[in-house]
Amino acid sequence: MPTLSLPVSNLLRNKESFKRLIAHFKYSHTRSGIWTVNASTPWISSSRGPKSALVSRRQVPVGQLTAGNMSTSSREDKTSWLWSVYNETKQQTQDLIPVISNNFVNPDTIFANNQMSLQDIEIYGFDYDYTLAFYSRHLHTLIFNIARDILIDEHRYPEGLKEYDYMPNFVIRGLHYDVQKALLMKIDAFHYIQLGTVYRGLNPVPEKEVIAMYEGSHVPLEIMSDFYGKSSQGHTMKQFMDIFSLPEMTLLSCVNDYFMKHNIDYEPVHLYKDVKEAIGDVHVRGIMYRAVEADIEKYICYGEQTHAVLRKLSKNGKKMFLITNSPFDFVDRGMNYIVGKDWRDLFDVVIVQADKPGFFNDRRKPFRRVTDKGVLLWDRIHHLEKGQIYKQGNLYEFLRLTGWRGSKVLYFGDHIYSDLADLTLKHGWRTGAIIPELRKEIKIMNTEEYVHTMTWLQALTALLEQMQVHQDPASQTVIQQWINEREEMRLRTKDIFNAQFGSLFRTYHNPTYFSRRLSRFADIYMASLSCLLNYDLQHTFYPRRTPLQHESPIWPEQTSTGAMNIPFQSHRTTTGTE
């Protein structure tokens, strides 16, 4: 079994560096302004003498950090003093880089929002698309091209749209679209637009224009999307939470771009509805399903080890079920490719075309049994039998027929709203979110460029916070240069992930709206189901105690988190593994 924890001793090999690391984080996150700073170093602390690297919280208030602390109040000397503090801070930050760089985050880690033990889980449930089956980028290109052609052939959109091809790196998941203004944007957990990420078509909208349109950068609750991210009942915003929505967002952007380039007057609401309908037709008409079935090796990625995960759970006596919106023929073809012809033997219940999220709320739809040839039977369902295929139904009937209730059930899905929200809020199931983008983002965060930029960004932010009390013109000139440098670094860290919209999980310092929903509706989250192979089925997931703003920013468990520095051992224990 791979070791999934980092001993504290790994961070204590260089005690002085670790002390500086603690001081760095305290310095970077403190809001109360009670640090002692002297001209030689902004990190020197404490009433206990120079050997202690922890800064006392009962020392000089920020308000006393004035020219009186310096040897002279002249303009030149004050400017020199600020830059000396800046340079010393930067040097201390440079010294921390090797310590931080040695503690990378493993992309195959399972992350916990809520404490959960696999020992308590008896039943495992799964969505199909982007949970059991992962798709190549060819599928998004296919969806984009078909929907674009539907707009042209059936909705009479201009032939010139064929000039646009799918752009795999243009958008990210979780974005909001203002239907009436035809704007695509990223919004944070507090409903603030991240300026610089608002696009009309394929071009960014200037910040001043955004602020003028929204009378600031805050989006009022009454125009946000409904609970499932949809634009309905007076809401003008739509949130794109599905991985399949990437080609939809790209197509919206391309059509908007074409209309603006050619000075075509159009109604944004009609455009949104037409694109939504065209994308829906790709699924509803079965066009996508037939294309994937015809060339399955092109569209389905085999390497996610889904087979090994299901076998592991089966050998350990776990019950399993599948609830998907996809049709049986499509699922059967994919599972034959991923798992093998006996895939149905692994599942106790298989439900297709479930119509989630309605499946979790609508009590009216009964189950129907489906034959291997796709024929719907009319008989009443009294039992959900292993080896049979069922269509539609609802969760309340599912619970009555199976008795699978509460926290002994763990369900995995990729759509935070449609797959997970109702289960955790209404039914007490445990939930696991599959976030394929997580692996790429973690790899970026492990790079030297990112670590270096982010560490200095935090240190510079703390320096700005402390030095802003100096209001004289000379000091403000220096501080403004620091502000400009900080803004440049913030833009750089955004561009590392995605040039247009940045990270899926952060809007500069705040979590994204996507992150907020993920933390609320998923007990655990991971890049793929294959991450389960690194844990035995007795493992307990513990969320990190992330400090509140008024709490000390360093806790011992934060330096020994299971996500950091995990060079997997070559051996495994025999318990719970194949």
Side-chain angles (χ1 to χ4, degrees), residues 26 29-35 57 60-63 465-466 549:
K26 283 182 174 289
H29 290 83
T30 296
R31 297 278 190 262
S32 55
I34 40 184
W35 302 94
R57 290 191 171 219
V60 181
V62 149
E465 183 177 19
Q466 301 303 314
Q549 294 298 307

Side-chain angles (χ1 to χ4, degrees), residues 106-165:
N106 193 310
D108 292 318
T109 300
I110 295 177
F111 303 91
N113 291 320
N114 192 18
Q115 183 171 325
M116 187 189 78
S117 177
L118 293 180
Q119 188 172 1
D120 299 329
I121 305 300
E122 301 174 9
I123 304 109
Y124 288 76
F126 306 92
D127 181 33
Y128 175 69
D129 297 304
Y130 287 105
T131 300
L132 295 175
F134 279 71
Y135 299 99
S136 70
R137 285 187 173 182
H138 295 296
L139 184 62
H140 290 168
T141 301
L142 175 75
I143 295 171
F144 176 92
N145 289 340
I146 295 173
R148 179 199 61 200
D149 293 345
I150 289 174
L151 285 179
I152 296 170
D153 298 335
E154 301 181 22
H155 295 270
R156 303 176 66 182
Y157 276 68
E159 286 280 342
L161 290 176
K162 289 189 176 181
E163 299 172 3
Y164 291 87
D165 295 319

Side-chain angles (χ1 to χ4, degrees), residues 476-487:
Q476 284 299 301
T477 299
V478 174
I479 289 171
Q480 186 57 52
Q481 293 181 59
W482 298 352
I483 291 172
N484 295 341
E485 180 182 358
R486 177 175 181 266
E487 185 60 27

Side-chain angles (χ1 to χ4, degrees), residues 163-272:
E163 299 172 3
Y164 291 87
D165 295 319
Y166 179 63
M167 296 172 286
N169 297 314
F170 181 68
V171 297
I172 61 172
R173 192 154 51 123
L175 300 178
H176 280 77
Y177 183 76
D178 190 319
V179 175
Q180 294 181 338
K181 295 182 174 67
L183 298 176
L184 191 64
M185 67 193 72
K186 188 163 75 168
I187 295 177
D188 73 9
F190 300 96
H191 293 196
Y192 281 91
I193 300 167
Q194 180 177 354
L195 297 176
T197 68
V198 179
Y199 275 72
R200 182 183 288 114
L202 302 177
N203 298 300
V205 180
E207 294 182 5
K208 289 183 179 180
E209 186 177 340
V210 174
I211 292 171
M213 282 190 289
Y214 292 94
E215 297 180 346
S217 60
H218 183 262
V219 179
L221 180 63
E222 59 265 22
I223 72 169
M224 295 289 285
S225 58
D226 67 10
F227 181 76
Y228 296 102
K230 298 178 181 179
S231 174
S232 59
Q233 298 178 353
H235 300 99
T236 62
M237 288 283 189
K238 149 78 176 177
Q239 189 182 17
F240 292 99
M241 296 291 274
D242 191 352
I243 300 177
F244 281 129
S245 66
L246 297 177
E248 182 177 357
M249 285 186 278
T250 306
L251 184 57
L252 272 170
S253 300
C254 289
V255 179
N256 275 312
D257 183 73
Y258 181 89
F259 284 164
M260 287 186 296
K261 278 184 176 179
H262 293 82
N263 296 316
I264 298 174
D265 190 23
Y266 68 102
E267 173 53 61
V269 175
H270 296 333
L271 169 59
Y272 167 73

Side-chain angles (χ1 to χ4, degrees), residues 1-2 49 69 214 268 292 299 319 351 373 397 410 504 535 570:
M1 187 69 194
N69 299 110
Y214 292 94
V292 172
Y299 293 109
K319 294 185 180 298
I351 301 168
K373 295 184 178 180
E397 188 71 1
L410 171 58
L504 175 64
Y535 299 79
S570 58

